[in-house]
Amino acid sequence: MTHSEQTRTPLSAGDDAKSVLVAGAGGVIGRHVADEYVRRGVPVRGLSRRPVAGARWHHLSVDLLDADAARTGIEAAGDTTHLVFGAYVERPTTREQIEVNSALLRNALQGLEAAGAPLCHVTLYQGGKAYGAHLGYFNTPAKERDPRLIQPNFYYEQEDILRAAAAEHGFEATMLRPEGVVGYAVGNPMNILMVIAVYASISRELGQPLRFPGTHAAYDALYQVTDASLLARATVWAGSEPRAAGEAYNITNGDQIRWRHLWPAFARHFEMDYAEPQPVLLAEAMPQYEDLWNEMVVEHDLVSTPFRDLAGWSFGDFIFRSGFDNVTSTIKARQHGFSDCLDTEDRFIELLQALATDKVIPPVA
């Protein structure tokens, strides 16, 4: 039994949910949440534009950017009691991010209202951007009561939309703030696990040592991650815990790491030599290895996935060049009843092994 299995919350958690709609079910967060509710025997519909391979729940193909399509597509989810909102669209400017991601949430809520859904609870995901992690240095450990920044942010806009709708229609809402979510999902630009897994696998295939590709400042800074399965358990908890109504919570594994310590552990796992960090822009370096990866897929009988969907190299560059401490306090969640935690180094190794077992990346031996 793995450590993550040992720390799971009881199966009774989440009994309040009669029917769950997960928006963004194809992403790393949404997929794990949908699977967790299914594991607990709760009916789940997963909403995304494209079907999700291997899904154990009913898929709804809906484009939330189209208000009319959203209203029509969500008609089938008229019995939804819990909405889990993990949909996200990347845009190059702050204004565009606010416009498009606000529309996603607004259309989902209006679609459920039109369907007459007996909505009881909505979980909305935020993240370190709420504290300014995307801007540079921010005060740590960040706490949920910290004031908003003067910088516009789509998290703020979405939260305001959700709180207003909750007050008008009588449902509860909880905001969860993970950092660096790790878990298996493809086509998701913000998943550092897949960046590490594919980068290490290609380096190993090339006969190179494993090198941290970021800056020395990032190599030594404190960082934290959130395991996707832990976040899924937090989501179930938030949807059934009265104290979580109207609250925001930082949700991470509960420890902090330095890449200085983890990358040698990754090298040992992959049975590779380890060399000193060498800053490399992954977004520039890695696309050239698409043909090599396709050869590796054939050689090792791996799951065939378009190379562009495997890893978000630009996201990896951002994380591995963030030369400041990124730490949020999880005390509030613990005080309110969610005490789940994981050892990040152990969990990374478990997940890397699982990727090999599932033939997403080549086996070590």
Side-chain angles (χ1 to χ4, degrees), residues 94-115:
T94 298
R95 182 180 61 80
E96 289 175 301
Q97 280 188 341
I98 291 173
E99 289 178 355
V100 70
N101 287 289
S102 295
L104 291 175
L105 177 59
R106 189 178 291 109
N107 290 342
L109 292 172
Q110 291 176 353
L112 286 172
E113 180 186 359

Side-chain angles (χ1 to χ4, degrees), residues 128-142:
K129 287 181 179 179
Y131 303 115
H134 59 307
L135 302 174
Y137 170 85
F138 66 100
N139 185 54
T140 59

Side-chain angles (χ1 to χ4, degrees), residues 194 197-198 201 270 293 300 302 352 355-363:
M194 295 304 296
V198 178
S201 297
F270 283 101
W293 180 263
H300 299 285
L302 303 182
L352 291 171
L355 290 176
T357 299
D358 294 341
K359 293 193 172 185
V360 178
I361 61 173

Side-chain angles (χ1 to χ4, degrees), residues 299-323:
E299 179 183 356
H300 299 285
D301 190 28
L302 303 182
V303 175
S304 181
T305 305
F307 190 71
R308 66 180 180 276
D309 291 338
L310 271 174
W313 302 118
S314 294
F315 180 66
D317 287 333
F318 172 76
I319 295 298
F320 297 148
R321 280 165 171 73
S322 297

Side-chain angles (χ1 to χ4, degrees), residues 80-102:
T80 297
T81 60
H82 285 58
L83 170 64
V84 176
F85 194 82
Y88 172 77
V89 174
E90 180 63 47
R91 287 291 186 265
T93 69
T94 298
R95 182 180 61 80
E96 289 175 301
Q97 280 188 341
I98 291 173
E99 289 178 355
V100 70
N101 287 289
S102 295

Side-chain angles (χ1 to χ4, degrees), residues 28-84:
V28 62
I29 293 176
R31 179 164 189 163
H32 281 79
V33 171
D35 286 346
E36 181 66 19
Y37 269 115
V38 167
R39 190 181 71 83
R40 294 166 185 260
V42 180
V44 175
R45 295 184 182 91
L47 188 156
S48 62
R49 286 182 297 174
R50 294 179 295 181
V52 179
R56 296 181 294 154
W57 26 267
H58 181 69
H59 176 257
L60 294 179
S61 180
V62 178
D63 181 2
L64 286 178
L65 285 179
D66 185 326
D68 291 334
R71 183 182 294 259
T72 300
I74 293 177
E75 283 181 354
D79 60 347
T80 297
T81 60
H82 285 58
L83 170 64
V84 176

